[in-house]
Amino acid sequence: MPEPASAAGSRPASATLIGMALWVAATICETAMVGCVRIVSQDLHPLQVVFLRMFCGLVVLAPWLLRLGAAGLRTTVFRLHALRSGLQVMAMTMWFASVPLVILADIAALSFLAPLFATAGAMLLLGERVGWRRGLALLIGFSGVLVIVRPGSSFNIGWGLLILAAVFWASALLVIKRMASSETSPCMTAWATILITPVLLIPAVFVWRDPSWTQWALMLAAGLAGTTTHLLMGQSFRYAEASAVMPMDFARMLWITLLGYMLFDETPTWHVWVGGALIFAAATYVTLREARLARRR
C-alpha cells in the first residue's frame, strides 16, 4: 500500500477530509465489484469468473498500458514479477472460489487478514523484528478468525478458501515490498496484469461457458470498479495520512454486508461482526505501526 509523501500533521484539514472521502469511495467501488462477481458466480465456474475479471480489467487498462509503453515495462527483476503474479493467481482463484460458498459479510471480514499474514511472514521469512505491540495485534487479529469460524461448529470450506487466499495475497505483498525499492507502481501493476491474464485463461478453457451479454456487462463493470478502487486508494494518500484513511476501510464491511442483505437476503450473525472488528482493528494497528516505523527509518 502506498505511503503518504509528506510528514504527519503537514496537511490541511480539508485535504485530509478529501483523502478520507476518496477511501470511502474506493470501498464503494470494491463493493460494486464484489456484487458483480457474486451474481456472475451463480452461473459460471469460479475459474472462468476469475479469468473474466482479469481480462475485463486488462481491457479497461489497455489505453494506460499503451501509453506506458515498452520503456515503462523495463525491469531487472522479472523473476520477482513472475513470482508475485503466481502468488496472486492462487489468491484470486481461492477468493473467487469462495464467493458462492459464504455470505458476503464473511468475505469482507476475512479479507482484513492479509496485512496480518504479511507481518507474520516478514517476521518468519525475512527476519524482521516484530515488537510486543504488533505481536499482540497479531494474536488479537487471529482470535477474530476463531470468533468467525467457531471451531467445533460446522466448518464452511469457503472460510478456509478465504483464509488461504489471504495467505497467498500476503505472500504477494512481501514480494511487492521486496520490489518496491527498484520498481515503480505502474510497472508492477502492468506486469501483474500482463502475466496473470493468460495464465488464468488456461484453466478457464476447460470449464468455459459462453457468457451472456448481461454477464459480460457485469464483468466489465467489475473490471472497471476494481481498477477504480486501486486508483482511488492511491489518490487518497496524496491528500491524507494513512492514520486518517485506514480507519475508513471498515466501511467496506458495512457496504458489502448491506449489499448481501439487499440483493441476496443475507443476515450475518454477531460472530461475523465481532470477529471482523477484531481482525480489522489488528490489521489497522499493524499497518499504521509499520508506516510509523518506516518513517523513523
Side-chain angles (χ1 to χ4, degrees), residues 45-80:
H45 195 281
L47 291 174
Q48 182 178 353
V49 176
V50 68
F51 165 74
L52 291 174
R53 161 65 183 89
M54 287 303 298
F55 175 77
C56 292
L58 181 60
V59 171
V60 172
L61 285 173
W64 175 76
L65 292 175
L66 291 175
R67 183 178 179 182
L68 190 64
L73 293 175
R74 191 173 293 115
T75 179
T76 58
V77 289
F78 178 78
R79 290 183 179 180
L80 289 180

Short mmCIF file of all heavy atoms in Angstrom, two decimals, residues 45-80:
data_model
loop_
_atom_site.label_atom_id
_atom_site.label_comp_id
_atom_site.label_asym_id
_atom_site.label_seq_id
_atom_site.Cartn_x
_atom_site.Cartn_y
_atom_site.Cartn_z
N HIS A 45 -18.41 -21.00 -13.68
CA HIS A 45 -17.40 -21.61 -12.82
C HIS A 45 -16.44 -20.53 -12.30
O HIS A 45 -16.09 -19.60 -13.04
CB HIS A 45 -16.62 -22.66 -13.62
CG HIS A 45 -15.80 -23.58 -12.78
ND1 HIS A 45 -14.58 -23.22 -12.25
CD2 HIS A 45 -16.03 -24.86 -12.36
CE1 HIS A 45 -14.08 -24.22 -11.56
NE2 HIS A 45 -14.94 -25.23 -11.60
N PRO A 46 -15.99 -20.66 -11.04
CA PRO A 46 -15.07 -19.66 -10.49
C PRO A 46 -13.81 -19.45 -11.32
O PRO A 46 -13.30 -18.33 -11.41
CB PRO A 46 -14.73 -20.23 -9.11
CG PRO A 46 -15.91 -21.07 -8.74
CD PRO A 46 -16.40 -21.65 -10.03
N LEU A 47 -13.27 -20.53 -11.93
CA LEU A 47 -12.06 -20.38 -12.75
C LEU A 47 -12.33 -19.49 -13.96
O LEU A 47 -11.45 -18.74 -14.40
CB LEU A 47 -11.57 -21.75 -13.20
CG LEU A 47 -10.99 -22.64 -12.10
CD1 LEU A 47 -10.66 -24.03 -12.66
CD2 LEU A 47 -9.74 -22.00 -11.49
N GLN A 48 -13.55 -19.59 -14.51
CA GLN A 48 -13.89 -18.72 -15.64
C GLN A 48 -14.15 -17.30 -15.16
O GLN A 48 -13.75 -16.32 -15.82
CB GLN A 48 -15.13 -19.25 -16.37
CG GLN A 48 -15.49 -18.41 -17.59
CD GLN A 48 -16.69 -18.97 -18.34
OE1 GLN A 48 -17.18 -20.05 -18.05
NE2 GLN A 48 -17.18 -18.23 -19.33
N VAL A 49 -14.77 -17.17 -14.00
CA VAL A 49 -15.09 -15.84 -13.48
C VAL A 49 -13.81 -15.05 -13.17
O VAL A 49 -13.71 -13.87 -13.49
CB VAL A 49 -15.97 -15.95 -12.22
CG1 VAL A 49 -16.21 -14.56 -11.62
CG2 VAL A 49 -17.31 -16.59 -12.56
N VAL A 50 -12.84 -15.71 -12.56
CA VAL A 50 -11.60 -15.00 -12.22
C VAL A 50 -10.86 -14.59 -13.48
O VAL A 50 -10.25 -13.51 -13.53
CB VAL A 50 -10.71 -15.86 -11.29
CG1 VAL A 50 -10.16 -17.07 -11.99
CG2 VAL A 50 -9.58 -15.02 -10.71
N PHE A 51 -10.91 -15.42 -14.54
CA PHE A 51 -10.29 -15.02 -15.80
C PHE A 51 -11.03 -13.82 -16.40
O PHE A 51 -10.39 -12.85 -16.86
CB PHE A 51 -10.29 -16.17 -16.81
CG PHE A 51 -10.02 -15.70 -18.22
CD1 PHE A 51 -8.73 -15.31 -18.59
CD2 PHE A 51 -11.04 -15.61 -19.16
CE1 PHE A 51 -8.47 -14.86 -19.88
CE2 PHE A 51 -10.79 -15.15 -20.44
CZ PHE A 51 -9.51 -14.77 -20.80
N LEU A 52 -12.36 -13.88 -16.40
CA LEU A 52 -13.13 -12.76 -16.97
C LEU A 52 -12.85 -11.46 -16.22
O LEU A 52 -12.78 -10.39 -16.82
CB LEU A 52 -14.63 -13.09 -16.92
CG LEU A 52 -15.12 -14.20 -17.86
CD1 LEU A 52 -16.59 -14.51 -17.60
CD2 LEU A 52 -14.91 -13.79 -19.32
N ARG A 53 -12.69 -11.58 -14.90
CA ARG A 53 -12.39 -10.38 -14.11
C ARG A 53 -11.06 -9.77 -14.56
O ARG A 53 -10.96 -8.55 -14.76
CB ARG A 53 -12.34 -10.75 -12.62
CG ARG A 53 -11.61 -9.78 -11.72
CD ARG A 53 -12.28 -8.41 -11.64
NE ARG A 53 -11.49 -7.50 -10.82
CZ ARG A 53 -10.52 -6.73 -11.28
NH1 ARG A 53 -10.19 -6.75 -12.58
NH2 ARG A 53 -9.86 -5.92 -10.47
N MET A 54 -10.02 -10.59 -14.72
CA MET A 54 -8.72 -10.07 -15.12
C MET A 54 -8.73 -9.61 -16.58
O MET A 54 -8.12 -8.59 -16.92
CB MET A 54 -7.64 -11.13 -14.91
CG MET A 54 -7.29 -11.36 -13.45
SD MET A 54 -6.76 -9.84 -12.59
CE MET A 54 -5.29 -9.41 -13.53
N PHE A 55 -9.42 -10.36 -17.44
CA PHE A 55 -9.48 -9.98 -18.85
C PHE A 55 -10.17 -8.62 -19.01
O PHE A 55 -9.68 -7.75 -19.74
CB PHE A 55 -10.21 -11.05 -19.66
CG PHE A 55 -10.43 -10.67 -21.10
CD1 PHE A 55 -9.38 -10.76 -22.00
CD2 PHE A 55 -11.67 -10.23 -21.54
CE1 PHE A 55 -9.57 -10.39 -23.34
CE2 PHE A 55 -11.86 -9.87 -22.86
CZ PHE A 55 -10.81 -9.95 -23.77
N CYS A 56 -11.30 -8.46 -18.33
CA CYS A 56 -12.02 -7.18 -18.42
C CYS A 56 -11.21 -6.06 -17.78
O CYS A 56 -11.25 -4.92 -18.25
CB CYS A 56 -13.39 -7.31 -17.75
SG CYS A 56 -14.53 -8.40 -18.66
N GLY A 57 -10.48 -6.38 -16.71
CA GLY A 57 -9.58 -5.38 -16.13
C GLY A 57 -8.49 -4.98 -17.10
O GLY A 57 -8.09 -3.82 -17.18
N LEU A 58 -8.00 -5.97 -17.89
CA LEU A 58 -6.97 -5.68 -18.90
C LEU A 58 -7.53 -4.78 -19.99
O LEU A 58 -6.85 -3.86 -20.46
CB LEU A 58 -6.47 -6.99 -19.51
CG LEU A 58 -5.38 -6.88 -20.58
CD1 LEU A 58 -4.13 -6.22 -20.00
CD2 LEU A 58 -5.04 -8.26 -21.13
N VAL A 59 -8.79 -5.02 -20.37
CA VAL A 59 -9.44 -4.17 -21.37
C VAL A 59 -9.52 -2.73 -20.86
O VAL A 59 -9.24 -1.78 -21.60
CB VAL A 59 -10.85 -4.71 -21.70
CG1 VAL A 59 -11.62 -3.71 -22.57
CG2 VAL A 59 -10.75 -6.05 -22.41
N VAL A 60 -9.90 -2.58 -19.60
CA VAL A 60 -10.00 -1.24 -19.01
C VAL A 60 -8.64 -0.56 -18.96
O VAL A 60 -8.51 0.65 -19.20
CB VAL A 60 -10.62 -1.33 -17.59
CG1 VAL A 60 -10.55 0.02 -16.88
CG2 VAL A 60 -12.06 -1.82 -17.67
N LEU A 61 -7.59 -1.34 -18.65
CA LEU A 61 -6.24 -0.78 -18.50
C LEU A 61 -5.50 -0.63 -19.83
O LEU A 61 -4.43 -0.01 -19.86
CB LEU A 61 -5.41 -1.67 -17.58
CG LEU A 61 -5.71 -1.60 -16.09
CD1 LEU A 61 -4.91 -2.67 -15.35
CD2 LEU A 61 -5.38 -0.23 -15.53
N ALA A 62 -6.03 -1.19 -20.93
CA ALA A 62 -5.31 -1.22 -22.20
C ALA A 62 -4.82 0.16 -22.65
O ALA A 62 -3.64 0.31 -23.03
CB ALA A 62 -6.18 -1.86 -23.28
N PRO A 63 -5.66 1.20 -22.64
CA PRO A 63 -5.15 2.52 -23.06
C PRO A 63 -3.99 3.01 -22.20
O PRO A 63 -3.02 3.59 -22.71
CB PRO A 63 -6.38 3.44 -22.90
CG PRO A 63 -7.55 2.52 -22.97
CD PRO A 63 -7.10 1.24 -22.32
N TRP A 64 -4.07 2.75 -20.90
CA TRP A 64 -3.00 3.16 -19.99
C TRP A 64 -1.72 2.37 -20.26
O TRP A 64 -0.62 2.93 -20.24
CB TRP A 64 -3.47 2.97 -18.55
CG TRP A 64 -2.42 3.24 -17.52
CD1 TRP A 64 -1.97 4.45 -17.10
CD2 TRP A 64 -1.68 2.27 -16.77
NE1 TRP A 64 -1.00 4.30 -16.14
CE2 TRP A 64 -0.81 2.97 -15.91
CE3 TRP A 64 -1.70 0.88 -16.72
CZ2 TRP A 64 0.05 2.33 -15.04
CZ3 TRP A 64 -0.84 0.23 -15.85
CH2 TRP A 64 0.02 0.95 -15.03
N LEU A 65 -1.86 1.04 -20.55
CA LEU A 65 -0.69 0.22 -20.83
C LEU A 65 -0.01 0.67 -22.12
O LEU A 65 1.22 0.69 -22.22
CB LEU A 65 -1.10 -1.25 -20.93
CG LEU A 65 -1.56 -1.93 -19.64
CD1 LEU A 65 -2.05 -3.35 -19.91
CD2 LEU A 65 -0.43 -1.94 -18.61
N LEU A 66 -0.81 1.03 -23.14
CA LEU A 66 -0.24 1.51 -24.39
C LEU A 66 0.51 2.82 -24.18
O LEU A 66 1.58 3.05 -24.76
CB LEU A 66 -1.35 1.70 -25.43
CG LEU A 66 -2.00 0.41 -25.94
CD1 LEU A 66 -3.17 0.74 -26.86
CD2 LEU A 66 -0.98 -0.46 -26.67
N ARG A 67 -0.03 3.67 -23.32
CA ARG A 67 0.63 4.93 -23.03
C ARG A 67 1.92 4.71 -22.24
O ARG A 67 2.90 5.43 -22.42
CB ARG A 67 -0.31 5.84 -22.24
CG ARG A 67 0.26 7.21 -21.95
CD ARG A 67 -0.76 8.06 -21.20
NE ARG A 67 -0.21 9.37 -20.89
CZ ARG A 67 -0.85 10.32 -20.21
NH1 ARG A 67 -2.09 10.06 -19.78
NH2 ARG A 67 -0.29 11.47 -19.96
N LEU A 68 1.91 3.68 -21.37
CA LEU A 68 3.10 3.37 -20.58
C LEU A 68 4.26 2.97 -21.48
O LEU A 68 5.40 3.38 -21.27
CB LEU A 68 2.78 2.26 -19.58
CG LEU A 68 3.80 1.95 -18.50
CD1 LEU A 68 3.97 3.14 -17.57
CD2 LEU A 68 3.36 0.73 -17.69
N GLY A 69 3.94 2.14 -22.50
CA GLY A 69 4.95 1.78 -23.50
C GLY A 69 6.01 0.82 -22.99
O GLY A 69 6.03 0.43 -21.82
N ALA A 70 6.93 0.45 -23.90
CA ALA A 70 7.97 -0.50 -23.56
C ALA A 70 8.91 0.04 -22.49
O ALA A 70 9.42 -0.72 -21.65
CB ALA A 70 8.75 -0.88 -24.82
N ALA A 71 9.16 1.34 -22.51
CA ALA A 71 10.08 1.92 -21.53
C ALA A 71 9.54 1.75 -20.11
O ALA A 71 10.30 1.50 -19.17
CB ALA A 71 10.29 3.40 -21.83
N GLY A 72 8.21 1.85 -19.97
CA GLY A 72 7.62 1.70 -18.65
C GLY A 72 7.62 0.28 -18.15
O GLY A 72 7.43 0.04 -16.95
N LEU A 73 7.81 -0.69 -19.06
CA LEU A 73 7.83 -2.10 -18.68
C LEU A 73 9.24 -2.63 -18.44
O LEU A 73 9.38 -3.80 -18.07
CB LEU A 73 7.16 -2.94 -19.78
CG LEU A 73 5.65 -2.73 -19.98
CD1 LEU A 73 5.16 -3.55 -21.16
CD2 LEU A 73 4.88 -3.11 -18.72
N ARG A 74 10.23 -1.79 -18.63
CA ARG A 74 11.61 -2.25 -18.45
C ARG A 74 11.84 -2.63 -16.98
O ARG A 74 11.51 -1.89 -16.07
CB ARG A 74 12.59 -1.15 -18.87
CG ARG A 74 14.03 -1.63 -18.97
CD ARG A 74 14.93 -0.55 -19.56
NE ARG A 74 14.59 -0.30 -20.97
CZ ARG A 74 14.09 0.86 -21.40
NH1 ARG A 74 13.85 1.84 -20.54
NH2 ARG A 74 13.83 1.03 -22.68
N THR A 75 12.42 -3.82 -16.77
CA THR A 75 12.62 -4.31 -15.40
C THR A 75 13.88 -5.16 -15.32
O THR A 75 14.30 -5.76 -16.31
CB THR A 75 11.41 -5.15 -14.94
OG1 THR A 75 11.65 -5.64 -13.61
CG2 THR A 75 11.18 -6.34 -15.86
N THR A 76 14.45 -5.21 -14.13
CA THR A 76 15.61 -6.06 -13.87
C THR A 76 15.27 -7.20 -12.92
O THR A 76 16.15 -7.97 -12.55
CB THR A 76 16.76 -5.22 -13.26
OG1 THR A 76 16.30 -4.60 -12.05
CG2 THR A 76 17.22 -4.13 -14.23
N VAL A 77 14.01 -7.27 -12.52
CA VAL A 77 13.59 -8.30 -11.55
C VAL A 77 12.37 -9.05 -12.09
O VAL A 77 11.37 -9.21 -11.41
CB VAL A 77 13.30 -7.68 -10.17
CG1 VAL A 77 14.56 -7.22 -9.49
CG2 VAL A 77 12.31 -6.52 -10.30
N PHE A 78 12.47 -9.53 -13.33
CA PHE A 78 11.33 -10.21 -13.95
C PHE A 78 10.90 -11.43 -13.14
O PHE A 78 9.70 -11.75 -13.04
CB PHE A 78 11.68 -10.63 -15.38
CG PHE A 78 10.56 -11.37 -16.06
CD1 PHE A 78 9.47 -10.70 -16.58
CD2 PHE A 78 10.59 -12.76 -16.17
CE1 PHE A 78 8.43 -11.38 -17.20
CE2 PHE A 78 9.56 -13.46 -16.78
CZ PHE A 78 8.48 -12.75 -17.30
N ARG A 79 11.88 -12.13 -12.54
CA ARG A 79 11.53 -13.32 -11.76
C ARG A 79 10.62 -12.97 -10.58
O ARG A 79 9.71 -13.73 -10.23
CB ARG A 79 12.79 -14.01 -11.26
CG ARG A 79 13.61 -14.69 -12.37
CD ARG A 79 14.81 -15.41 -11.78
NE ARG A 79 15.59 -16.08 -12.81
CZ ARG A 79 16.69 -16.79 -12.58
NH1 ARG A 79 17.13 -16.91 -11.32
NH2 ARG A 79 17.34 -17.37 -13.57
N LEU A 80 10.86 -11.83 -9.97
CA LEU A 80 10.01 -11.41 -8.86
C LEU A 80 8.62 -11.04 -9.36
O LEU A 80 7.61 -11.31 -8.68
CB LEU A 80 10.64 -10.24 -8.12
CG LEU A 80 11.89 -10.55 -7.29
CD1 LEU A 80 12.42 -9.29 -6.61
CD2 LEU A 80 11.60 -11.63 -6.26
#
